[in-house]
């Protein structure tokens, strides 16, 4: 190296100052970051982490009707839950409800998405129609379906009797109530699921289809060799989202059946709601809420893990 | 006093090898200084250290003689032109230039004035109201430059600013950029991996390899007297011919195979060396002249000159550059004369032995 | 052959559309019939009438409910956009100690269903005296992991050089956020806005718990009220209210459907 460096090395105390300056800079950047995060962290703290902790806390206490803990209960609430038929019943109803709604919603939405994936004249109108149920709020959807299920004047029984069937009290019969609510739910949820799956389909590189066509693959073969594998992350995501949604079902139950008849539709969240805000058993309701949290956390966690692996796999 | 100075600058990202190690350089005001080296050699990192976009691991950055290590980027009063131009895609050309001035709280009339001047200078007047995506690559490049110009910072850093342009435009922009820089009196530190760009544009340049500076000097200085084999082979197209050699009494033995007799050139003391010779120093031998014969293995006719590659020994190919168009056939055996005064010798570690044939100072005075 | 396939395709599309649209069309038709016609079980009105719509507005403060829903959904959306984009900006552009740890904490909130926290939240809102107030309906929903996640994905697409160029020219972080990051992320912001608005409009359990006053009740709760009060006698009124209540979200969806489809994918699968 022939370059001469002029001798302006900084004096010794300076290097001490720079360390302090570096610390100050780190502190400043931390403060600035925190300013941006503060709203989120505060809100998560107050309305998510604190209440989650509080729910855990309440779940091991007996409470008064205002939700104040009165006496330590230990695991009594949980033990009582496990021994309570109605808890098991509610769990069963929830699982059945999920089993009825999730696969059907995903399958129907997938079919609809495939139908409008091809570009044809006027396809945009059909896309809008298929997505439209996303704009149906729980209240609107529920009152419409409630009327459709009306035993005397509802369209469903009208059609039934037109083809010679016997009228059914869809929402009042404990054998049909859950199925009836599930049908309404599927209709409500199709919009979002459809939209997500369509977006997933459109993310697939069209040249893959072109090369499949050149290779002479039939439509169904293309579906199995190109579409399904490439869409599988989306399908999986949509399934878990629907599953979590199903586990959290509340609105349509409150509208259509109020958990009845004879607890046939008393799904998890509805059971929690009743225990807490009708029976004022906050401790026991909290214990159930913790069970719900554990189930949903598990499902979400599995989704994360699986999705992560999928990304590597691609 | 130097305008910008790097003193023992080192940057490591926690790995075994530092990305940049022990860089010392003083850059004068108004200088066009080029950092050149293959990709991954740390040249962009040095630029980012100067800009303050990344903290140093050790060493000092001095601006106007003051230690600037802890200064935030905007306090260093410099501008930067990025390889992908970093234009704000949602803003028009004018807004792209003015956003810089707004941040510096320049009065509005002054903003407009400076924008118009820069636009005029760069031929952007007609496209001031367009967005970047409506511009050609060359125009975008000019906008990026315009942003540096309107800021009127004394120092401008450029990170491969021409590499996204096609070859023809790039050649044109090289001279245009230099002209602008002289006209505005800017100090520029320019990063490139293209040695032609470095050679044609630099006042002085630093060649980097693996994060370590290899040589600093003017283009001709570096071309004529490379400090080591890396610089020798990196600078110049086609690159310098190199070969391992044994030093005998009055000759060299290239790759244990090909002896070359030297008439008037003193040889280094070492036993084993690497010899280097530029393609323009290999000529056709006239009859009676001391010569070496070799077989032609490849020919490139460039129109005004011809590049002929010979196989001197097994797997040892040297290229000669001859003016004009030569009718030679592949496989032909040609007598060659080497300009022995132009031979360079490097030791086993690749460092050049002996004095340079042209003094450094002369070059700098002459340009 | 090709024409036959196209025809079959259109027939299939129309059939599916009829099935999906049927409940809506049915509600619309019922809302335009008088009570007697509904009870007789007709499907097509003989005399078109708007009496049900008049009645819906007279018998319940439907206008008030709609306004409440709109205001609450709008404020939730606005708050979410602000809170989420600030956090996402910090996670993408700022370098500060503990950044990644905070990000994981934010993402971890996706594991917690709102229902699991609803009891203490209700007690908190009660203690704050926010029941029957808009704030109680709005503020708890401002922080949203999905929103942060979606916007973070979007912000990551912005070339880092833009940020560095801004730093060099002395454009501060907040200025860069407002003048560059937000304008460049319009699609994602619209997506999040549409999604949030629909989500907030659809909210049911929470307003059920924290409101019992018509002045702040949302339209979902209003429909519930109407449905429980009316029963058989005036289904037409309930259907009229339902038709009115679905209009805002349906319009929003029609307008934002394309954006929503594009934007949701970014955050959903990455």
């Amino acid at each position: 190296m022939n370059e001469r460096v002029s001798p302006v090395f900084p004096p010794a105390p300076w290097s001490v100052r720079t360390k302090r300056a570096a610390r100050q800079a780190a502190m400043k950047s931390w403060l600035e970051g925190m300013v941006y995060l503060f709203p989120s962290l505060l809100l998560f703290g107050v309305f998510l982490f604190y209440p989650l902790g509080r729910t855990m806390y309440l779940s091991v206490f007996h409470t008064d009707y205002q939700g104040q803990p009165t006496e330590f209960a230990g695991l009594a609430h949980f033990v009582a839950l496990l021994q309570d038929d109605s808890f098991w019943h509610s769990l069963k109803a929830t699982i059945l409800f999920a089993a009825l709604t999730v696969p059907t919603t995903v399958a129907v939405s997938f079919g609809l998405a495939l139908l409008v994936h091809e570009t044809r004249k006027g396809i945009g109108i059909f896309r809008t129609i298929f997505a439209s149920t996303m704009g149906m709020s729980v209240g609107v959807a529920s009152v419409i379906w409630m009327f459709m299920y009306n035993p005397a004047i509802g369209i469903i029984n009208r059609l039934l009797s037109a083809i010679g069937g016997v009228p059914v009290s869809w929402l009042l019969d404990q054998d049909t109530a859950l199925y009836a609510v599930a049908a309404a739910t599927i209709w409500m949820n199709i919009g979002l699921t459809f939209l997500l799956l369509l977006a997933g389909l459109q993310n697939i590189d069209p040249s893959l289809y072109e090369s499949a066509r050149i290779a002479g693959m039939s439509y169904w073969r293309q579906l199995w060799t190109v579409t399904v594998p490439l869409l599988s992350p989306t399908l999986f995501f949509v399934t878990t989202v629907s599953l979590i949604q199903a586990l959290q079902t509340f609105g349509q139950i409150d509208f259509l059946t109020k958990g009845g008849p004879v607890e046939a539709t008393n799904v998890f969240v509805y059971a929690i709601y009743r225990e807490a805000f009708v029976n004022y058993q906050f401790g026991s309701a909290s214990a159930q809420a913790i069970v719900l949290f554990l189930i949903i956390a598990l499902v979400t966690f599995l989704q994360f893990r699986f999705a992560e692996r999928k990304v590597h796999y691609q | 006093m130097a305008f910008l100075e790097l003193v023992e600058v080192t940057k490591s990202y926690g790995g075994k090898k530092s990305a940049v190690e022990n860089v010392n350089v003083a850059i004068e005001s108004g200088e066009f200084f080029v950092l050149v080296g293959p990709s991954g050699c740390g040249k962009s990192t040095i630029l980012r250290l100067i800009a303050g976009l990344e903290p140093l691991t050790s060493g000092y950055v001095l601006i106007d003689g003051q230690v600037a290590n802890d200064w935030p980027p905007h306090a260093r009063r410099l501008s930067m032109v990025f390889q992908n131009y970093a234009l704000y895609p949602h803003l028009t050309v004018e807004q792209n230039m003015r956003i810089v001035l707004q941040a510096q709280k320049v009065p509005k009339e002054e903003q407009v004035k400076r924008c118009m001047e820069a636009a005029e200078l760069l031929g952007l007047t007609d496209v001031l109201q367009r967005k970047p995506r409506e511009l050609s690559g060359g125009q975008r490049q000019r906008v990026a430059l315009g942003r540096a110009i309107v800021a009127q910072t004394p120092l401008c850093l450029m990170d491969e600013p021409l590499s996204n342009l096609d070859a023809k435009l790039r050649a044109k922009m090289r001279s245009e950029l230099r002209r602008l820089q002289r006209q505005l009196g800017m100090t520029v530190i320019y990063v490139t991996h293209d040695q032609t760009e470095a050679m044609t544009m630099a006042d002085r340049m630093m060649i980097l390899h693996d994060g370590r500076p290899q040589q600093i000097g003017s283009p001709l200085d570096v071309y004529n007297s490379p400090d080591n084999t890396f610089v020798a082979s990196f600078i110049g197209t086609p690159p310098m011919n190199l070969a391992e050699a044994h030093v005998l009494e009055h000759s060299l033995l290239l790759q244990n195979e090909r002896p070359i007799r030297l008439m008037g050139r003193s040889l280094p003391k070492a036993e084993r060396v690497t010899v280097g010779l530029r393609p323009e120093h290999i000529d056709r031998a006239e009859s009676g002249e001391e010569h070496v014969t070799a077989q032609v293995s490849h020919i490139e006719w460039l129109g005004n000159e011809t590049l002929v590659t010979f196989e001197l020994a097994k797997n040892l190919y040297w290229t000669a550059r001859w003016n004009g168009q030569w009718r030679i056939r592949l496989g032909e055996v040609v007598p060659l004369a080497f300009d022995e005064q132009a031979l360079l010798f490097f030791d086993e570690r690749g460092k050049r032995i002996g004095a340079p044939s042209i003094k450094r100072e002369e070059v700098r005075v002459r340009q | 052959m090709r024409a036959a396939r196209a025809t079959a395709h259109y027939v299939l599309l129309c059939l599916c559309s009829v099935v999906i649209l049927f409940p809506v069309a049915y509600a619309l038709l019922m809302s335009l019939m008088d009570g007697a016609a509904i009870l007789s079980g007709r499907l097509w009105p003989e005399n078109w009438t708007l009496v049900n719509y008049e009645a819906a507005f007279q018998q319940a403060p439907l206008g008030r409910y709609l306004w409440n829903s709109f205001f609450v959904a709008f404020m939730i959306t606005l708050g979410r956009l602000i809170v989420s984009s600030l956090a996402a900006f910090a996670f993408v552009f700022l370098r500060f100690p503990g950044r990644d740890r905070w990000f994981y904490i934010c993402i971890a909130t996706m594991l917690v269903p709102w229902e699991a926290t609803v009891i203490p939240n209700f007690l908190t809102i009660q203690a704050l005296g926010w029941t029957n107030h808009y704030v109680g309906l709005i503020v708890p929903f401002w922080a949203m992991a999905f929103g942060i996640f979606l916007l973070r994905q979007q912000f990551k697409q912005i070339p880092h050089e833009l940020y560095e160029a801004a730093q060099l020219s002395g454009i501060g972080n907040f200025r860069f956020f407002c003048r560059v990051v937000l304008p460049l992320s319009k699609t994602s912001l619209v997506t999040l806005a549409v999604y949030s608005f629909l989500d907030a409009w659809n909210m049911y359990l929470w307003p059920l718990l924290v409101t019992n006053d018509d002045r702040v009740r949302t339209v979902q709760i209003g429909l519930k009220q109407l449905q429980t009060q009316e029963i058989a006698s005036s289904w037409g009124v309930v259907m009229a209210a339902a038709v009115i209540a679905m209009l805002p979200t349906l319009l929003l969806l029609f307008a934002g459907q394309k954006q929503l489809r594009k934007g949701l994918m970014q955050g959903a699968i990455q």
Side-chain angles (χ1 to χ4, degrees):
Chain A
M1 298 288 309
N2 302 32
E3 191 64 27
R4 282 282 308 124
V5 170
S6 46
V8 256
F9 287 91
W14 180 82
S15 62
V16 179
R17 218 183 63 212
T18 191
K19 259 186 197 152
R20 212 173 58 211
R23 247 203 333 270
Q24 272 171 0
M27 187 68 191
K28 215 183 129 217
S29 72
W30 184 81
L31 273 176
E32 189 176 20
M34 280 303 151
V35 168
Y36 286 85
L37 291 190
F38 181 73
S40 291
L41 296 181
L42 177 75
L43 289 163
F44 279 141
V46 175
F47 294 111
L48 201 121
F49 289 112
Y50 160 72
L52 182 65
R54 185 75 183 169
T55 303
M56 289 177 184
Y57 180 77
L58 287 178
S59 73
V60 291
F61 274 91
H62 295 291
T63 50
D64 62 21
Y65 70 98
Q66 283 181 322
Q68 293 308 311
T70 49
E71 191 189 336
F72 184 69
L75 293 176
H77 292 312
F78 291 95
V79 173
L81 274 187
L82 295 182
Q83 291 167 345
D84 184 359
D85 282 345
S86 107
F87 169 78
W88 290 110
H89 194 89
S90 148
L91 194 62
K92 229 169 72 188
T94 312
I95 291 170
L96 183 58
F97 182 76
L100 286 172
T101 54
V102 177
T104 326
T105 308
V106 175
V108 172
S109 308
F110 184 42
L112 292 176
L114 284 176
L115 273 182
V116 295
H117 179 39
E118 279 179 67
T119 35
R120 265 189 211 285
K121 217 173 159 188
I123 208 78
I125 299 166
F126 293 106
R127 285 181 184 164
T128 309
I129 290 174
F130 293 172
S132 68
T133 68
M134 198 185 164
M136 297 295 143
S137 57
V138 64
V140 171
S142 297
V143 293
I144 295 176
W145 280 82
M146 185 158 205
F147 186 45
M148 284 170 48
Y149 283 133
N150 188 296
I153 53 174
I155 183 75
I156 293 175
N157 273 357
R158 290 255 157 201
L159 289 176
L160 208 60
S161 53
I163 56 167
V166 188
V168 180
S169 306
W170 297 99
L171 296 169
L172 299 173
D173 185 329
Q174 50 172 313
D175 293 329
T176 55
L178 196 66
Y179 293 87
V181 178
T185 306
I186 292 166
W187 181 76
M188 277 170 64
N189 290 351
I190 279 175
L192 176 64
T193 322
F194 159 79
L195 216 54
L196 285 167
L197 286 171
L198 181 59
L201 279 178
Q202 290 180 332
N203 266 4
I204 296 175
D205 183 358
S207 66
L208 290 172
Y209 287 109
E210 281 159 13
S211 84
R213 276 233 305 277
I214 290 165
M217 283 190 206
S218 70
Y219 177 81
W220 297 107
R221 232 188 125 69
Q222 285 180 34
L223 188 65
W224 281 111
T225 52
V226 181
T227 311
V228 171
L230 286 172
L231 198 66
S232 63
T234 317
L235 277 168
F236 184 74
F237 171 78
V238 160
T239 309
T240 27
V241 167
S242 303
L243 179 58
I244 292 170
Q245 223 174 24
L247 296 176
Q248 291 170 295
T249 303
F250 176 78
Q252 52 276 52
I253 302 287
D254 192 45
F255 264 95
L256 294 174
T257 61
K258 294 199 166 298
V262 208
E263 298 195 358
T265 58
N266 191 24
V267 295
F268 229 98
V269 175
Y270 200 78
I272 296 172
Y273 164 76
R274 273 226 296 228
E275 191 73 354
F277 299 104
V278 179
N279 302 334
Y280 297 107
Q281 298 296 320
F282 288 105
S284 159
S286 294
Q288 284 192 55
I290 290 302
V291 175
L292 176 75
F293 160 62
L294 291 177
I295 295 172
I296 287 185
L298 184 73
V299 173
T300 316
F301 182 72
L302 289 177
Q303 139 81 11
F304 277 170
R305 287 302 293 272
F306 191 79
E308 224 168 84
R309 230 187 302 153
K310 268 290 173 198
V311 171
H312 290 299
Y313 163 73
Q314 277 195 328
Chain B
M1 190 185 293
F3 176 67
L4 175 94
E5 223 168 317
L6 304 182
V7 181
E8 289 170 12
V9 164
T10 296
K11 172 74 185 176
S12 101
Y13 292 101
K16 260 191 210 147
K17 265 175 77 179
S18 1
V20 168
E21 196 164 302
N22 206 15
V23 174
N24 289 294
V25 66
I27 293 159
E28 307 292 334
S29 183
E31 192 171 10
F32 197 104
F33 191 88
V34 175
L35 296 168
V36 63
S39 59
C41 71
K43 52 195 190 298
S44 291
T45 308
I46 295 179
L47 212 60
R48 297 168 62 80
L49 293 174
I50 296 172
L53 293 172
E54 284 179 47
L56 303 176
T57 304
S58 68
Y60 304 103
V61 172
L62 289 93
I63 295 176
D64 271 335
Q66 285 181 289
V67 174
N69 285 27
D70 296 326
W71 296 4
H74 60 88
R76 302 184 180 208
R77 301 209 305 129
L78 43 80
S79 48
M80 189 157 170
V81 178
F82 292 85
Q83 180 172 4
N84 61 6
Y85 315 140
L87 300 180
Y88 301 110
H90 61 299
L91 301 181
T92 63
V93 169
E94 185 178 0
Q95 288 168 328
N96 256 294
M97 297 203 258
R98 278 176 60 178
I99 191 169
V100 178
L101 303 176
Q102 281 161 7
Q104 293 166 357
K105 305 217 162 51
V106 174
K108 207 164 171 199
E109 312 84 70
E110 174 74 9
Q111 287 179 17
V112 177
K113 193 174 139 257
R114 283 202 214 169
C115 270
M116 294 315 287
E117 280 171 8
E120 191 118 339
L121 201 61
L122 296 163
L124 291 172
T125 316
D126 295 338
V127 296
L128 273 177
Q129 299 314 321
R130 294 212 196 139
K131 301 228 169 121
R133 65 162 182 281
E134 301 164 306
L135 303 179
S136 69
Q139 285 172 324
R140 280 181 218 174
Q141 213 282 328
R142 278 164 218 261
V143 178
L145 249 136
R147 219 166 46 179
I149 291 172
V150 293
Q152 298 188 346
T153 53
L155 175 62
C156 182
L157 311 177
M158 302 191 181
D159 191 357
E160 310 230 7
L162 304 183
S163 62
N164 283 351
L165 302 178
D166 61 61
K168 214 167 173 183
L169 194 54
R170 203 180 316 160
K172 185 173 156 245
M173 283 305 289
R174 286 206 294 255
S175 54
E176 199 169 316
L177 239 172
R178 255 335 289 262
R179 187 176 53 74
L180 268 173
Q181 178 261 339
R182 287 206 188 93
Q183 192 177 338
L184 299 169
M186 283 195 286
T187 311
V188 171
I189 302 178
Y190 186 102
V191 160
T192 181
H193 64 269
D194 179 351
Q195 62 90 27
T196 317
E197 248 173 51
M199 288 295 289
T200 50
M201 298 176 83
D203 285 330
R204 280 191 309 151
M205 60 202 222
M206 176 194 277
I207 296 97
L208 281 147
H209 180 48
D210 269 347
R212 281 143 193 81
Q214 305 294 316
Q215 189 170 0
I216 297 172
S218 70
L220 289 186
D221 192 356
V222 169
Y223 185 84
N224 292 332
S225 321
D227 276 356
N228 57 40
T229 47
F230 176 79
V231 176
S233 58
F234 188 74
I235 299 293
T237 40
M240 183 182 279
N241 298 304
L242 293 170
E244 308 251 307
H246 276 280
V247 180
L248 307 174
E249 210 160 321
H250 289 292
S251 61
L252 291 164
L253 184 63
L254 301 188
Q255 230 154 268
N256 291 327
E257 232 181 88
R258 167 72 69 155
I260 297 175
R261 216 140 61 97
L262 298 179
M263 312 302 284
R265 179 74 197 261
S266 62
L267 285 167
K269 297 241 160 24
E271 195 176 302
R272 294 183 59 96
V273 293
T274 301
V275 275
L277 191 64
R278 293 262 177 221
E280 56 269 34
H281 296 133
I282 302 178
D283 229 326
R284 275 175 86 107
E286 310 200 347
S287 56
E289 202 181 359
E290 175 67 33
H291 68 263
V292 175
T293 55
Q295 205 177 21
V296 175
S297 65
H298 183 67
I299 311 156
E300 287 176 29
W301 287 280
L302 301 177
N304 59 343
E305 58 184 19
T306 310
L307 302 179
V308 190
T309 305
F310 300 96
E311 186 165 15
L312 271 189
K314 196 160 177 259
N315 282 328
L316 176 64
Y317 297 94
W318 275 22
T319 301
R321 186 214 300 265
W322 296 336
N323 281 331
Q325 302 172 355
W326 293 75
R327 313 236 162 227
I328 302 178
R329 267 168 299 129
L330 277 179
E332 198 173 315
V333 176
V334 180
L336 298 172
F338 296 154
D339 178 354
E340 56 182 48
Q341 291 310 319
L343 278 176
L344 296 174
F345 299 103
F346 303 91
D347 67 18
E348 277 169 76
R349 283 172 35 231
K351 278 200 63 135
R352 188 165 55 87
I353 308 166
S357 46
I358 305 171
K359 285 256 169 62
R360 278 158 205 282
E361 300 312 315
E362 286 173 11
V363 175
R364 293 202 59 186
V365 171
R366 238 193 270 154
Q367 59 142 35
Chain C
M1 179 62 197
R2 187 164 268 218
R5 242 198 105 204
T7 315
H9 191 188
Y10 278 120
V11 168
L12 209 54
L13 285 169
C14 290
L15 274 176
C16 291
S17 303
V18 167
V19 172
I20 285 181
L21 283 182
F22 180 77
V24 178
Y26 185 59
L28 188 64
L29 291 172
M30 291 302 125
S31 73
L32 295 168
M33 277 188 231
D34 55 41
I38 292 173
L39 287 176
S40 73
R42 305 176 56 93
L43 195 56
W44 197 259
E46 199 166 48
N47 306 307
W48 301 81
T49 169
L50 288 173
V51 286
N52 292 323
Y53 288 86
E54 278 168 40
F57 279 99
Q58 274 164 10
Q59 290 175 18
L62 195 58
R64 183 80 206 177
Y65 292 154
L66 281 167
W67 164 250
N68 290 338
S69 268
F70 178 82
F71 181 74
V72 168
F74 180 80
M75 291 308 285
I76 288 179
T77 303
L78 192 68
R80 272 185 182 173
L81 289 181
I82 295 171
V83 170
S84 306
S85 59
L86 283 171
F89 178 77
F91 287 136
V92 174
F93 289 101
L94 303 183
R95 258 190 282 186
F96 58 94
R99 184 182 72 172
D100 293 347
R101 201 181 55 224
W102 288 119
F103 179 67
Y104 288 123
I105 288 176
C106 284
I107 289 304
T109 62
M110 284 196 195
L111 295 171
V112 185
W114 167 253
E115 288 77 6
T117 58
V118 79
I119 296 167
N121 273 332
F122 173 71
L123 300 173
T124 306
I125 293 296
Q126 223 174 20
L128 288 170
W130 283 2
T131 47
N132 281 325
H133 283 287
Y134 286 133
V135 269
L137 286 170
I138 293 166
V139 177
F141 298 94
W142 275 352
M144 186 200 196
F146 174 70
I148 296 175
F149 194 66
L150 184 98
L151 292 179
R152 178 173 167 268
Q153 295 303 119
Q154 161 61 31
F155 293 175
K156 275 161 92 178
Q157 317 268 321
I158 297 172
H160 207 69
E161 284 89 352
L162 291 186
Y163 180 61
E164 294 180 337
Q167 277 192 305
L168 282 167
S169 42
I171 298 170
N173 282 329
F174 190 68
R175 202 186 170 87
F176 179 73
F177 173 67
C178 296
R179 294 238 14 217
V180 180
V181 175
L182 292 184
L184 284 180
S185 309
K186 255 186 236 145
T187 311
S188 295
L189 290 170
V190 170
T191 303
L192 185 60
V194 173
Y195 179 84
S196 282
F197 193 91
L198 293 175
D199 192 43
W201 185 275
N202 207 9
M203 190 165 63
Y204 181 70
L205 173 57
W206 186 246
L208 186 68
L209 293 179
V210 299
T211 59
N212 54 24
D213 185 329
D214 277 346
R215 283 180 306 121
V216 288
R217 268 195 191 126
T218 61
V219 74
Q220 308 299 328
I221 311 299
L223 278 172
K224 175 76 180 166
Q225 294 289 112
L226 210 58
Q227 180 226 347
T228 352
Q229 287 163 12
E230 303 300 328
I231 310 290
S233 62
S234 50
W235 269 107
V237 179
V238 180
M239 289 301 121
V243 169
I244 291 167
M246 77 172 82
L247 277 178
T249 42
L250 223 45
L251 288 177
L252 178 68
L253 190 73
F254 290 162
Q257 190 234 123
K258 214 170 186 174
Q259 297 258 24
L260 197 63
R261 182 156 31 104
K262 278 189 198 140
L264 275 180
M265 276 328 284
Q266 261 177 359
I269 315 272
Q270 289 285 348

